[in-house]
Amino acid sequence: MKSSLYTVLYSLALGTVCALLLTGASLIARPYKDSNARAAEERTILQVLLVPVGQEANAAEVSRVFAENVRKDESGGHVRYIYVGADGSAPKAVAIPFSGPGLWGPVKGFIALEPDMRTIRNVIFHEQEETPGLGGEIGSAWFQERFRGKRIIGADGTPGITIIRDGRASGLNEVDGITGATMTCEKVKLMLNKCIELITREDKSDGS
Amino acid sequence: MAASMAPGGACAAGQCAGRCAKALKDGTFTENPVCVQILGICSALAVTTRLANALVMGAALIFTTGMSNLLISLLRNATPRRIRMIAEVAIIATFVIMFDQFLKAFYPAMSKQLGPYVGLIITNCIVMGRAEAYAMQNPPLPSIVDGLANGMGYAAVLAVIGVVRELLGTGKLLGFTVLPPTVYTPNQAMVLAPGAFVVLGCALAVYAVLKAPARQEAKA
Protein backbone atom coordinates (compact mmCIF):
# COMPACT_ATOMS: atom_id res chain seq x y z
CA MET A 1 0.00 0.00 0.00
CA LYS A 2 2.73 2.35 1.06
CA SER A 3 4.81 1.54 -2.00
CA SER A 4 1.80 2.09 -4.27
CA LEU A 5 1.33 5.55 -2.83
CA TYR A 6 5.01 6.30 -3.40
CA THR A 7 4.75 5.09 -7.00
CA VAL A 8 1.78 7.37 -7.63
CA LEU A 9 3.52 10.36 -6.05
CA TYR A 10 6.71 9.67 -7.99
CA SER A 11 4.78 9.47 -11.26
CA LEU A 12 2.97 12.71 -10.48
CA ALA A 13 6.19 14.52 -9.64
CA LEU A 14 8.05 13.22 -12.70
CA GLY A 15 5.10 13.96 -14.96
CA THR A 16 4.83 17.50 -13.64
CA VAL A 17 8.52 18.22 -14.07
CA CYS A 18 8.52 16.85 -17.64
CA ALA A 19 5.38 18.81 -18.49
CA LEU A 20 6.89 22.03 -17.13
CA LEU A 21 10.10 21.50 -19.12
CA LEU A 22 8.14 20.90 -22.31
CA THR A 23 5.87 23.88 -21.72
CA GLY A 24 8.92 26.06 -21.24
CA ALA A 25 10.56 24.77 -24.41
CA SER A 26 7.36 25.30 -26.38
CA LEU A 27 6.89 28.84 -25.06
CA ILE A 28 10.45 29.80 -25.92
CA ALA A 29 10.20 28.27 -29.39
CA ARG A 30 6.78 29.64 -30.32
CA PRO A 31 7.67 33.16 -31.53
CA TYR A 32 10.48 31.71 -33.67
CA LYS A 33 8.24 29.01 -35.10
CA ASP A 34 5.53 31.58 -35.92
CA SER A 35 7.98 33.78 -37.79
CA ASN A 36 9.35 30.71 -39.61
CA ALA A 37 5.84 29.75 -40.71
CA ARG A 38 5.20 33.29 -41.91
CA ALA A 39 8.50 33.32 -43.81
CA ALA A 40 7.67 29.95 -45.39
CA GLU A 41 4.32 31.27 -46.64
CA GLU A 42 5.90 34.47 -47.94
CA ARG A 43 8.58 32.46 -49.69
CA THR A 44 5.94 30.30 -51.39
CA ILE A 45 4.04 33.39 -52.58
CA LEU A 46 7.23 34.97 -53.90
CA GLN A 47 8.02 31.71 -55.70
CA VAL A 48 4.64 31.39 -57.34
CA LEU A 49 4.72 35.04 -58.46
CA LEU A 50 8.23 34.45 -59.85
CA VAL A 51 9.61 37.32 -57.79
CA PRO A 52 13.38 36.89 -57.79
CA VAL A 53 14.61 35.87 -54.33
CA GLY A 54 17.67 33.83 -53.44
CA GLN A 55 17.12 30.16 -52.59
CA GLU A 56 19.31 30.57 -49.53
CA ALA A 57 17.72 33.85 -48.41
CA ASN A 58 16.98 33.88 -44.70
CA ALA A 59 13.64 34.80 -43.09
CA ALA A 60 14.47 38.50 -42.74
CA GLU A 61 15.56 38.75 -46.38
CA VAL A 62 12.38 37.00 -47.57
CA SER A 63 10.24 39.35 -45.46
CA ARG A 64 11.98 42.38 -46.93
CA VAL A 65 11.53 41.25 -50.55
CA PHE A 66 7.92 40.33 -49.81
CA ALA A 67 7.13 43.72 -48.27
CA GLU A 68 8.76 45.52 -51.19
CA ASN A 69 7.08 43.62 -54.01
CA VAL A 70 3.82 42.11 -52.86
CA ARG A 71 0.55 43.73 -51.77
CA LYS A 72 -2.17 41.71 -50.10
CA ASP A 73 -5.63 42.48 -51.41
CA GLU A 74 -8.67 41.20 -49.54
CA SER A 75 -11.38 43.23 -51.28
CA GLY A 76 -14.25 41.11 -52.54
CA GLY A 77 -13.82 38.56 -49.78
CA HIS A 78 -10.98 36.73 -51.51
CA VAL A 79 -7.32 36.95 -50.75
CA ARG A 80 -5.09 37.99 -53.62
CA TYR A 81 -1.40 38.68 -53.56
CA ILE A 82 -0.42 41.26 -56.14
CA TYR A 83 3.13 41.54 -57.44
CA VAL A 84 3.55 45.29 -57.88
CA GLY A 85 7.31 45.50 -58.13
CA ALA A 86 9.53 47.85 -56.22
CA ASP A 87 8.50 50.87 -58.34
CA GLY A 88 4.83 50.35 -57.42
CA SER A 89 3.60 50.61 -61.01
CA ALA A 90 1.01 48.37 -62.69
CA PRO A 91 0.72 44.85 -61.28
CA LYS A 92 3.02 42.29 -62.85
CA ALA A 93 1.12 39.24 -61.59
CA VAL A 94 -1.59 38.14 -59.19
CA ALA A 95 -1.48 35.07 -56.94
CA ILE A 96 -4.61 33.41 -55.59
CA PRO A 97 -4.60 30.64 -52.98
CA PHE A 98 -6.61 27.49 -53.59
CA SER A 99 -7.21 24.29 -51.70
CA GLY A 100 -9.21 21.13 -51.93
CA PRO A 101 -9.20 17.42 -51.20
CA GLY A 102 -6.49 15.38 -52.89
CA LEU A 103 -6.53 11.61 -53.10
CA TRP A 104 -5.14 11.05 -49.58
CA GLY A 105 -5.31 14.40 -47.85
CA PRO A 106 -5.84 18.12 -48.30
CA VAL A 107 -3.92 19.87 -51.05
CA LYS A 108 -3.09 23.57 -50.83
CA GLY A 109 -1.45 25.77 -53.37
CA PHE A 110 -1.27 29.07 -55.19
CA ILE A 111 -2.05 29.92 -58.79
CA ALA A 112 -0.40 33.02 -60.23
CA LEU A 113 -1.86 34.77 -63.26
CA GLU A 114 -0.39 37.31 -65.63
CA PRO A 115 -1.95 40.83 -65.48
CA ASP A 116 -4.45 39.81 -68.21
CA MET A 117 -5.96 37.45 -65.58
CA ARG A 118 -6.27 34.74 -68.25
CA THR A 119 -2.76 33.37 -68.63
CA ILE A 120 -1.20 31.17 -65.96
CA ARG A 121 2.15 32.48 -64.80
CA ASN A 122 2.89 29.71 -62.33
CA VAL A 123 1.28 27.12 -60.05
CA ILE A 124 2.60 25.77 -56.77
CA PHE A 125 1.26 23.00 -54.57
CA HIS A 126 2.94 23.68 -51.26
CA GLU A 127 0.97 21.32 -49.05
CA GLN A 128 0.05 17.82 -50.18
CA GLU A 129 0.15 14.23 -48.94
CA GLU A 130 -0.23 12.40 -52.26
CA THR A 131 1.51 9.11 -53.02
CA PRO A 132 5.26 9.75 -53.10
CA GLY A 133 6.65 9.25 -56.59
CA LEU A 134 3.22 9.29 -58.26
CA GLY A 135 0.65 11.87 -57.16
CA GLY A 136 3.25 13.37 -54.88
CA GLU A 137 5.01 14.63 -58.00
CA ILE A 138 2.48 17.51 -58.09
CA GLY A 139 4.87 19.04 -55.56
CA SER A 140 7.76 18.85 -58.04
CA ALA A 141 8.92 21.73 -60.19
CA TRP A 142 8.69 19.76 -63.46
CA PHE A 143 4.95 19.23 -63.05
CA GLN A 144 4.23 22.73 -61.80
CA GLU A 145 6.11 24.20 -64.75
CA ARG A 146 3.70 22.46 -67.15
CA PHE A 147 1.05 25.01 -66.18
CA ARG A 148 3.12 28.01 -67.21
CA GLY A 149 1.71 29.93 -70.17
CA LYS A 150 -1.55 27.93 -70.25
CA ARG A 151 -4.87 29.78 -70.55
CA ILE A 152 -7.60 29.40 -67.95
CA ILE A 153 -10.31 29.65 -70.63
CA GLY A 154 -10.86 27.08 -73.35
CA ALA A 155 -11.09 27.75 -77.08
CA ASP A 156 -14.90 27.78 -76.83
CA GLY A 157 -14.84 30.41 -74.08
CA THR A 158 -15.79 28.20 -71.13
CA PRO A 159 -13.58 28.71 -68.11
CA GLY A 160 -11.48 25.85 -66.84
CA ILE A 161 -8.44 23.76 -67.61
CA THR A 162 -8.09 20.04 -68.18
CA ILE A 163 -5.30 17.75 -67.11
CA ILE A 164 -5.05 14.93 -69.63
CA ARG A 165 -2.90 11.92 -70.37
CA ASP A 166 0.77 12.69 -70.40
CA GLY A 167 1.95 13.77 -73.84
CA ARG A 168 -1.51 14.49 -75.26
CA ALA A 169 -1.88 18.15 -74.25
CA SER A 170 -2.33 20.31 -77.34
CA GLY A 171 -4.94 22.98 -76.52
CA LEU A 172 -4.01 26.12 -74.67
CA ASN A 173 -6.00 25.09 -71.61
CA GLU A 174 -4.76 21.49 -71.60
CA VAL A 175 -1.98 20.35 -69.29
CA ASP A 176 -0.08 17.06 -69.46
CA GLY A 177 -0.88 14.90 -66.45
CA ILE A 178 1.26 12.49 -64.45
CA THR A 179 1.27 8.85 -65.55
CA GLY A 180 0.09 6.70 -62.67
CA ALA A 181 -1.53 9.57 -60.85
CA THR A 182 -4.81 9.95 -62.71
CA MET A 183 -6.85 10.31 -59.50
CA THR A 184 -4.63 13.01 -58.06
CA CYS A 185 -4.62 14.91 -61.36
CA GLU A 186 -8.42 14.75 -61.48
CA LYS A 187 -8.69 16.16 -57.93
CA VAL A 188 -6.14 18.86 -58.72
CA LYS A 189 -8.08 19.80 -61.84
CA LEU A 190 -11.30 20.11 -59.84
CA MET A 191 -9.80 22.40 -57.20
CA LEU A 192 -8.06 24.55 -59.82
CA ASN A 193 -11.25 24.88 -61.84
CA LYS A 194 -13.22 25.88 -58.75
CA CYS A 195 -10.69 28.65 -58.23
CA ILE A 196 -10.69 29.61 -61.93
CA GLU A 197 -14.48 29.82 -61.96
CA LEU A 198 -14.33 32.27 -59.05
CA ILE A 199 -11.73 34.38 -60.83
CA THR A 200 -13.64 34.58 -64.10
CA ARG A 201 -17.00 35.20 -62.40
CA GLU A 202 -15.54 37.97 -60.30
CA ASP A 203 -14.05 39.66 -63.35
CA LYS A 204 -17.38 39.57 -65.14
CA SER A 205 -19.18 41.20 -62.21
CA ASP A 206 -16.39 43.79 -62.06
CA GLY A 207 -16.95 44.63 -65.72
CA SER A 208 -20.73 45.10 -65.52
CA MET B 1 28.00 -5.72 -16.34
CA ALA B 2 26.54 -4.34 -13.12
CA ALA B 3 27.88 -7.18 -11.01
CA SER B 4 31.45 -5.97 -11.33
CA MET B 5 30.55 -2.45 -10.24
CA ALA B 6 30.58 -1.19 -6.70
CA PRO B 7 27.14 -1.42 -5.08
CA GLY B 8 25.17 1.76 -4.44
CA GLY B 9 26.19 5.17 -5.67
CA ALA B 10 29.73 5.19 -4.27
CA CYS B 11 32.31 5.98 -6.92
CA ALA B 12 35.87 6.37 -5.71
CA ALA B 13 37.98 8.77 -7.72
CA GLY B 14 40.29 6.25 -9.40
CA GLN B 15 37.59 3.66 -9.98
CA CYS B 16 35.27 6.30 -11.42
CA ALA B 17 37.85 7.51 -13.94
CA GLY B 18 38.46 3.93 -15.08
CA ARG B 19 34.78 3.32 -15.45
CA CYS B 20 34.34 6.52 -17.48
CA ALA B 21 37.23 5.59 -19.76
CA LYS B 22 35.77 2.15 -20.35
CA ALA B 23 32.32 3.63 -21.03
CA LEU B 24 33.86 6.03 -23.54
CA LYS B 25 35.77 3.31 -25.39
CA ASP B 26 32.86 0.84 -25.35
CA GLY B 27 30.31 3.38 -26.55
CA THR B 28 32.34 4.82 -29.37
CA PHE B 29 34.19 1.76 -30.63
CA THR B 30 34.31 -1.67 -28.93
CA GLU B 31 30.57 -1.91 -28.35
CA ASN B 32 29.51 0.59 -31.01
CA PRO B 33 25.71 0.72 -30.87
CA VAL B 34 25.26 0.65 -34.64
CA CYS B 35 28.08 -1.67 -35.70
CA VAL B 36 28.01 -4.21 -32.87
CA GLN B 37 24.53 -4.02 -31.38
CA ILE B 38 22.87 -3.14 -34.74
CA LEU B 39 20.67 -0.56 -33.00
CA GLY B 40 19.39 2.70 -34.45
CA ILE B 41 19.55 1.25 -37.97
CA CYS B 42 16.24 2.78 -39.05
CA SER B 43 17.42 6.36 -38.75
CA ALA B 44 20.95 5.44 -39.87
CA LEU B 45 19.44 4.37 -43.19
CA ALA B 46 16.86 7.13 -43.46
CA VAL B 47 18.63 10.40 -42.71
CA THR B 48 22.07 9.77 -44.21
CA THR B 49 21.32 11.03 -47.72
CA ARG B 50 23.30 14.15 -46.82
CA LEU B 51 26.17 14.64 -44.43
CA ALA B 52 24.52 17.68 -42.81
CA ASN B 53 21.41 15.66 -41.94
CA ALA B 54 23.53 12.85 -40.51
CA LEU B 55 25.51 15.30 -38.35
CA VAL B 56 22.41 16.98 -36.92
CA MET B 57 20.81 13.61 -36.24
CA GLY B 58 24.02 12.50 -34.50
CA ALA B 59 24.02 15.67 -32.39
CA ALA B 60 20.40 15.02 -31.44
CA LEU B 61 21.25 11.53 -30.26
CA ILE B 62 24.36 12.64 -28.34
CA PHE B 63 22.25 15.24 -26.53
CA THR B 64 19.41 12.82 -25.82
CA THR B 65 21.43 9.83 -24.62
CA GLY B 66 23.72 12.05 -22.55
CA MET B 67 20.99 14.01 -20.80
CA SER B 68 18.58 11.12 -20.32
CA ASN B 69 21.35 8.87 -18.97
CA LEU B 70 22.34 11.59 -16.50
CA LEU B 71 18.81 12.19 -15.24
CA ILE B 72 17.87 8.52 -15.12
CA SER B 73 21.05 7.75 -13.22
CA LEU B 74 20.35 10.55 -10.72
CA LEU B 75 16.86 9.18 -10.15
CA ARG B 76 17.83 5.49 -10.30
CA ASN B 77 17.54 4.87 -6.55
CA ALA B 78 14.30 6.83 -6.22
CA THR B 79 12.55 5.25 -9.20
CA PRO B 80 10.12 2.46 -8.31
CA ARG B 81 11.15 -0.67 -10.24
CA ARG B 82 7.67 -1.37 -11.53
CA ILE B 83 7.36 1.89 -13.44
CA ARG B 84 11.00 2.40 -14.30
CA MET B 85 10.54 1.93 -18.04
CA ILE B 86 7.67 4.38 -18.22
CA ALA B 87 9.77 6.86 -16.24
CA GLU B 88 12.68 6.32 -18.65
CA VAL B 89 10.47 6.91 -21.68
CA ALA B 90 9.00 10.08 -20.12
CA ILE B 91 12.48 11.48 -19.49
CA ILE B 92 13.77 10.51 -22.94
CA ALA B 93 10.68 11.95 -24.66
CA THR B 94 11.11 15.24 -22.80
CA PHE B 95 14.66 15.72 -24.08
CA VAL B 96 13.81 14.61 -27.61
CA ILE B 97 10.88 17.04 -27.85
CA MET B 98 13.06 19.84 -26.47
CA PHE B 99 15.62 19.19 -29.20
CA ASP B 100 12.87 18.99 -31.81
CA GLN B 101 11.46 22.35 -30.68
CA PHE B 102 14.94 23.85 -30.84
CA LEU B 103 15.38 22.65 -34.43
CA LYS B 104 11.92 23.85 -35.46
CA ALA B 105 12.60 27.28 -33.99
CA PHE B 106 16.14 27.91 -35.21
CA TYR B 107 16.75 25.52 -38.12
CA PRO B 108 13.34 25.07 -39.78
CA ALA B 109 14.82 23.87 -43.07
CA MET B 110 16.83 21.14 -41.33
CA SER B 111 13.81 20.22 -39.21
CA LYS B 112 11.74 19.78 -42.36
CA GLN B 113 14.37 17.56 -43.98
CA LEU B 114 14.70 15.29 -40.97
CA GLY B 115 10.92 15.07 -40.82
CA PRO B 116 9.65 12.61 -38.24
CA TYR B 117 13.06 11.11 -37.49
CA VAL B 118 13.93 13.54 -34.70
CA GLY B 119 10.72 12.69 -32.86
CA LEU B 120 11.36 8.99 -33.49
CA ILE B 121 14.55 9.18 -31.39
CA ILE B 122 12.16 8.52 -28.49
CA THR B 123 11.83 4.96 -29.77
CA ASN B 124 15.52 4.68 -30.74
CA CYS B 125 16.75 1.49 -29.10
CA ILE B 126 20.12 3.02 -28.27
CA VAL B 127 18.65 5.60 -25.89
CA MET B 128 16.34 3.17 -24.09
CA GLY B 129 19.02 0.49 -24.16
CA ARG B 130 21.61 2.68 -22.45
CA ALA B 131 19.05 3.80 -19.86
CA GLU B 132 18.15 0.21 -18.98
CA ALA B 133 21.57 -1.36 -19.30
CA TYR B 134 23.76 1.38 -17.85
CA ALA B 135 22.14 4.40 -16.26
CA MET B 136 19.86 2.35 -13.98
CA GLN B 137 22.89 0.67 -12.40
CA ASN B 138 25.65 3.27 -12.50
CA PRO B 139 26.41 6.62 -10.84
CA PRO B 140 25.70 9.85 -12.73
CA LEU B 141 29.20 10.64 -13.98
CA PRO B 142 29.96 7.36 -15.76
CA SER B 143 26.33 7.36 -16.96
CA ILE B 144 26.58 10.68 -18.74
CA VAL B 145 29.90 9.61 -20.26
CA ASP B 146 28.31 6.35 -21.39
CA GLY B 147 25.37 8.24 -22.90
CA LEU B 148 27.56 10.76 -24.72
CA ALA B 149 29.91 8.01 -25.92
CA ASN B 150 27.11 5.89 -27.36
CA GLY B 151 25.67 8.98 -29.01
CA MET B 152 29.08 9.72 -30.51
CA GLY B 153 29.45 6.13 -31.69
CA TYR B 154 26.12 6.42 -33.47
CA ALA B 155 26.97 9.87 -34.82
CA ALA B 156 30.32 8.67 -36.18
CA VAL B 157 28.77 5.80 -38.15
CA LEU B 158 26.05 8.13 -39.49
CA ALA B 159 28.67 10.68 -40.52
CA VAL B 160 30.67 8.03 -42.41
CA ILE B 161 27.56 6.77 -44.23
CA GLY B 162 26.50 10.37 -44.89
CA VAL B 163 29.88 11.26 -46.43
CA VAL B 164 29.84 8.24 -48.74
CA ARG B 165 26.22 8.65 -49.82
CA GLU B 166 26.36 12.39 -50.41
CA LEU B 167 29.69 12.18 -52.22
CA LEU B 168 28.75 9.27 -54.51
CA GLY B 169 25.11 10.27 -54.82
CA THR B 170 25.46 13.97 -55.61
CA GLY B 171 29.20 14.64 -55.96
CA LYS B 172 28.95 17.15 -53.13
CA LEU B 173 29.90 17.36 -49.47
CA LEU B 174 27.85 19.57 -47.13
CA GLY B 175 26.41 21.14 -50.28
CA PHE B 176 29.78 22.07 -51.81
CA THR B 177 30.73 20.44 -55.08
CA VAL B 178 33.69 18.13 -54.56
CA LEU B 179 33.43 15.93 -57.63
CA PRO B 180 32.22 18.10 -60.55
CA PRO B 181 29.86 16.40 -63.03
CA THR B 182 32.63 16.43 -65.65
CA VAL B 183 34.76 14.12 -63.50
CA TYR B 184 32.12 11.99 -61.83
CA THR B 185 28.54 11.15 -62.77
CA PRO B 186 26.45 11.11 -59.57
CA ASN B 187 24.91 7.73 -58.82
CA GLN B 188 21.27 8.30 -57.92
CA ALA B 189 21.06 4.86 -56.28
CA MET B 190 23.28 6.09 -53.44
CA VAL B 191 20.69 8.67 -52.42
CA LEU B 192 17.84 6.15 -52.59
CA ALA B 193 17.11 3.45 -50.02
CA PRO B 194 19.15 0.63 -51.64
CA GLY B 195 22.29 2.78 -51.49
CA ALA B 196 21.80 3.16 -47.74
CA PHE B 197 21.76 -0.62 -47.25
CA VAL B 198 24.84 -1.14 -49.41
CA VAL B 199 26.84 1.59 -47.66
CA LEU B 200 25.77 0.42 -44.20
CA GLY B 201 26.80 -3.14 -45.08
CA CYS B 202 30.20 -1.94 -46.28
CA ALA B 203 30.59 0.19 -43.14
CA LEU B 204 29.91 -2.86 -40.94
CA ALA B 205 32.47 -4.87 -42.90
CA VAL B 206 35.13 -2.18 -42.56
CA TYR B 207 34.36 -1.91 -38.86
CA ALA B 208 34.78 -5.67 -38.42
CA VAL B 209 38.17 -5.52 -40.14
CA LEU B 210 39.29 -2.58 -37.99
CA LYS B 211 38.15 -4.33 -34.83
CA ALA B 212 39.72 -7.71 -35.63
CA PRO B 213 43.19 -6.93 -34.12
CA ALA B 214 41.59 -5.66 -30.91
CA ARG B 215 39.59 -8.87 -30.56
CA GLN B 216 42.66 -11.07 -31.06
CA GLU B 217 44.51 -9.07 -28.43
CA ALA B 218 41.70 -9.66 -26.01
CA LYS B 219 41.83 -13.41 -26.65
CA ALA B 220 45.58 -13.65 -26.19
Side-chain angles (χ1 to χ4, degrees), chain B residues 92-185:
Chain B
I92 292 166
T94 306
F95 287 117
V96 170
I97 296 172
M98 280 166 78
F99 192 91
D100 195 30
Q101 294 283 335
F102 165 78
L103 272 190
K104 281 194 171 124
F106 297 102
Y107 300 97
M110 179 52 75
S111 170
K112 211 172 173 185
Q113 284 198 0
L114 291 176
Y117 288 98
V118 174
L120 282 175
I121 292 176
I122 296 171
T123 59
N124 191 312
C125 306
I126 299 173
V127 192
M128 190 80 186
R130 292 332 289 171
E132 268 288 289
Y134 203 92
M136 283 305 286
Q137 282 113 27
N138 288 284
L141 193 60
S143 289
I144 189 173
V145 172
D146 177 81
L148 294 175
N150 275 278
M152 285 190 283
Y154 169 88
V157 178
L158 254 71
V160 169
I161 301 177
V163 166
V164 175
R165 287 184 72 191
E166 186 173 356
L167 193 62
L168 298 184
T170 63
K172 295 176 182 176
L173 264 188
L174 289 172
F176 298 104
T177 306
V178 178
L179 298 169
T182 45
V183 181
Y184 173 78
T185 309

Side-chain angles (χ1 to χ4, degrees), chain A residues 3-4 6-7 10-11 14 17-19 21-22 25-26 28-30 32-33 36 126, chain B residues 75 77-80 82-83 86-87 90-91 93-94 97-98 101-102 104-106 108:
Chain A
S3 83
S4 299
Y6 174 75
T7 305
Y10 177 91
S11 315
L14 184 68
V17 170
C18 288
L21 280 174
L22 290 183
S26 169
I28 294 169
R30 181 170 299 156
Y32 297 98
K33 284 200 295 194
N36 289 339
H126 62 96
Chain B
L75 292 173
N77 293 328
T79 308
R82 270 187 299 171
I83 60 158
I86 298 172
I91 291 167
T94 306
I97 296 172
M98 280 166 78
Q101 294 283 335
F102 165 78
K104 281 194 171 124
F106 297 102

